[in-house]
Amino acid sequence: MTWQEPEPGDDVRALLLATKETDGRPEIEAGGPLPREFRGGLHLLAREGADDLVGYAHLDTGGDAFGNQVAEVFVHPAHRGRGYGTGLVGAVLDRAGPKLRIWSHGDHPAAARIAEKAGLDRVRELLKMRLDRAIELPEPKLPGDVTVRAFVPGRDEADTVAVNGRAFDWHPEQSQLTVEELIATERETWFDPEGFFLAVKNGTVVGFHWTKVHPGDIGEVYVVGVDPGAQGGGLGKALTLVGLHHLRKKGLGDTILYVESDNSPAVAVYERLGFVIAETDVAYQR
């Protein structure tokens, strides 16, 4: 196993794509830059022999908004059940700082066993919810003084990031979005400003719904954020419906979203719209 700081190459991308083929995650494309969660930090490559890459771990040394370093660990599907996952997690624990969280996508039983052996606690759950395309959607009802328009690249970044920061000041990852990161995301192949909706009141951005389209014609409620000063009037639900109708008009299949399991108000809104829990991602911490 070897640590490196430079961004890894095609062999890691091939391993992540093979993992996605088996597990449905991580969300990575065959081309373009690595997803945001694999950029920067440190990269751990596990090889069998000189060239056969069997495992990969990413350690975000900058950490989340609460000072936790964050790791993700992957073993090639063809090499599982041979101890590589345990070895990678052990190496990450040895290298990381005292505050560390490691994600298990899909609440994988093997990851739970490794976490138990390593003395890690289950501290966070992220729900993946899915909306069947056959379910009918109500029309959005915006507050009377609010209008919705599409995001304009080169003009709306600062206002959107400011609303995002206030709406998600409690969130360990989303709260850290910067203008620079938003601009970088605009260069990714999936970015579509026509699917990025801003709620405007008296000329000021007070909320947004950023949608995403995945390969296989799957839509996503990527991020919905409402400024705290504009909450309580149904704007969040209305923005969610604006984006959902947009995805439906594109002729896509089902729609997914991710939400914290303890965010009961948001979960309740999504369940009333017809979303059901499809998977659970778990963060373990020492």
Side-chain angles (χ1 to χ4, degrees):
M1 291 186 288
T2 306
W3 286 99
Q4 67 180 50
E5 189 169 345
E7 186 171 297
D10 292 339
D11 53 352
V12 166
R13 183 183 296 277
L15 184 148
L16 294 176
L17 286 169
T19 302
K20 180 182 180 180
E21 182 71 21
T22 299
D23 301 336
R25 308 283 288 281
E27 294 174 1
I28 183 171
E29 299 178 4
L34 286 174
R36 175 184 170 192
E37 61 267 29
F38 301 120
R39 299 175 194 165
L42 295 172
H43 308 269
L44 178 62
L45 280 63
R47 301 186 185 277
E48 188 178 75
D51 301 313
D52 195 4
L53 185 68
V54 297
Y56 165 71
H58 176 256
L59 177 62
D60 179 359
T61 52
D64 62 23
F66 303 115
N68 300 298
Q69 292 185 340
V70 182
E72 299 198 49
V73 179
F74 304 91
V75 177
H76 194 288
H79 296 278
R80 293 177 178 175
R82 300 166 62 185
Y84 290 123
T86 299
L88 284 162
V89 169
V92 169
L93 290 170
D94 288 341
R95 184 65 181 259
K99 295 185 66 177
L100 171 70
R101 289 188 174 182
I102 305 180
W103 279 102
S104 166
H105 297 298
D107 197 7
H108 201 287
R113 291 193 294 270
I114 292 171
E116 183 179 8
K117 287 190 293 185
L120 304 178
D121 294 324
R122 185 183 181 111
V123 297
R124 184 179 169 197
E125 293 182 348
L126 186 66
L127 305 179
K128 178 181 180 180
M129 304 186 74
R130 181 179 290 267
L131 178 69
D132 190 288
R133 61 181 172 182
I135 292 179
E136 293 187 11
L137 295 170
E139 291 297 321
K141 296 180 180 179
L142 291 164
D145 53 356
V146 174
T147 58
V148 172
R149 63 171 175 83
F151 177 90
V152 179
R155 188 182 79 182
D156 290 325
E157 287 84 357
D159 288 342
T160 304
V161 168
V163 170
N164 178 87
R166 292 190 292 270
F168 292 101
D169 61 354
W170 53 273
H171 197 282
E173 291 94 24
Q174 189 62 33
S175 63
Q176 294 186 298
L177 179 69
T178 65
V179 169
E180 291 74 21
E181 287 177 329
L182 178 50
I183 292 173
T185 304
E186 292 171 20
R187 295 193 289 268
E188 296 193 18
T189 56
W190 61 265
F191 180 81
D192 177 15
E194 295 302 314
F196 195 158
F197 300 96
L198 303 184
V200 180
K201 178 179 179 179
N202 298 326
T204 300
V205 176
V206 294
F208 64 92
H209 181 179
W210 189 354
T211 68
K212 184 176 183 179
V213 177
H214 296 266
D217 291 336
I218 299 295
E220 181 180 352
V221 178
Y222 188 47
V223 189
V224 177
V226 177
D227 194 294
Q231 292 176 1
L235 180 56
K237 179 180 178 181
L239 276 170
T240 301
L241 285 167
V242 167
L244 288 173
H245 279 285
H246 165 78
L247 293 170
R248 287 280 177 87
K249 289 176 183 177
K250 292 178 71 69
L252 303 177
D254 293 353
T255 303
I256 62 171
L257 59 82
Y258 295 90
V259 61
E260 302 291 335
S261 64
D262 59 358
N263 188 353
S264 300
V267 172
V269 168
Y270 297 137
E271 287 180 334
R272 285 195 293 270
L273 290 174
F275 282 88
V276 296
I277 298 172
E279 292 180 13
T280 303
D281 293 344
V282 178
Y284 293 94
Q285 185 163 10
R286 61 177 175 189

